[in-house]
Amino acid sequence: MSRFCVYLVVFCAMCCRFSVLSYPQGAPVRTESCVNLQPVHTDPLSNQPVQNQKGTTKPYRILVSQQQYQTCTTTQQCGLQPLQVSIQGQGGLFRGFIVQARTPSGGSRSWGQFFPLQTGDSKVIQCQNGLTLTHTANNDKNIVRFAWIPEPGMRDQVQFVATVVQNLRTIYPGVYSAQLRPVGVPTTTTTSVAPMTSALTTTRMPPTTTAGLPGSAPLKTAGVISLVTSVIAILL
């Protein structure tokens, strides 16, 4: 009986250790996660940091509904033409992710606002370098969909960059979307843009298509508007 008790204690300790060395409810708001896009997992057996998968071939991709975004000068204008984005597995499932919209020219700032389009699989966190989307549970996923809108005054190309976690010991950083170019840049000079806050706005989101998102079902505008309105209502 005493030996059984020892085994039970060791098993419980390992389970607790596993729970604190991974992040099943999403990436923490820390520099490693927000700026470096690293989940910072530790192997519970070796007590060593889990290394990223190396190589250029990744079993995941980020797809966008279009490769451009409409520039805007007010928050209301920015919400008129949201982009629909998805993180998809190419024959493989994944459990976690963290994604931001950054400029291809460099920098760690995350631009724009994110709106989850599937209930219970993702959430928005306020990082020190901008709004960020991450998972809410570590269940197996094949696709995650979300909407994104630019910030007032944005003029640079952006692209979505993610780190995708297949499991505790298998991590794929540097998953990129196509670059999005701005259209409709006004001739007036604008001032620099302050970092985005987590406040959501009550802008209406018009119909968009899911062209370019293979394997995703058409999204109804009314559903997207209802989702955003519900989130705003809860926050208020």
Side-chain angles (χ1 to χ4, degrees):
M1 179 63 70
S2 60
R3 180 176 296 180
F4 173 77
C5 292
V6 172
Y7 289 158
L8 181 61
V9 170
V10 172
F11 175 77
C12 292
M14 291 297 294
C15 290
C16 293
R17 186 174 181 81
F18 179 85
S19 66
V20 300
L21 295 180
S22 60
Y23 300 93
Q25 297 180 342
V29 182
R30 295 166 48 182
T31 299
E32 294 89 345
S33 300
C34 292
V35 177
N36 301 329
L37 297 181
Q38 289 297 306
V40 198
H41 288 176
T42 301
D43 192 311
L45 299 178
S46 65
N47 198 33
Q48 297 298 316
V50 176
Q51 300 299 314
N52 295 328
Q53 295 296 306
K54 297 180 180 179
T56 58
T57 302
K58 298 177 174 64
Y60 307 102
R61 59 182 176 176
I62 302 176
L63 300 178
V64 293
S65 56
Q66 57 187 37
Q67 295 184 19
Q68 61 185 34
Y69 69 90
Q70 181 67 43
T71 59
C72 49
T73 57
T74 66
T75 304
Q76 183 176 7
Q77 290 178 347
C78 292
L80 295 179
Q81 298 187 40
L83 275 72
Q84 296 175 20
V85 190
S86 70
I87 302 174
Q88 297 188 15
Q90 302 185 83
L93 301 176
F94 60 97
R95 293 188 174 184
F97 68 93
I98 183 169
V99 60
Q100 295 180 346
R102 296 185 176 185
T103 56
S105 57
S108 62
R109 176 173 174 176
S110 180
W111 295 83
Q113 291 196 65
F114 296 85
F115 297 90
L117 294 180
Q118 296 172 205
T119 303
D121 66 1
S122 59
K123 65 181 179 181
V124 179
I125 59 175
Q126 177 68 66
C127 284
Q128 63 266 44
N129 57 325
L131 296 181
T132 303
L133 195 74
T134 187
H135 59 281
T136 56
N138 64 345
N139 60 302
D140 287 332
K141 311 168 184 62
N142 182 56
I143 184 171
V144 171
R145 300 183 181 92
F146 59 93
W148 177 86
I149 61 174
E151 302 176 23
M154 281 184 59
R155 300 293 180 265
D156 295 323
Q157 288 190 342
V158 295
Q159 66 182 156
F160 297 99
V161 55
T163 295
V164 181
V165 177
Q166 189 176 83
N167 53 56
L168 175 68
R169 298 179 178 87
T170 310
I171 302 168
Y172 290 92
V175 179
Y176 293 93
S177 73
Q179 296 184 13
L180 311 178
R181 60 182 179 85
V183 296
V185 178
T187 56
T188 56
T189 303
T190 60
T191 58
S192 60
V193 184
M196 207 67 177
T197 66
S198 59
L200 300 180
T201 61
T202 56
T203 56
R204 290 180 59 84
M205 307 173 84
T208 60
T209 65
T210 55
L213 294 181
S216 62
L219 299 173
K220 296 183 179 180
T221 302
V224 177
I225 295 175
S226 176
L227 173 64
V228 176
T229 304
S230 299
V231 173
I232 295 172
I234 292 175
L235 294 177
L236 294 178

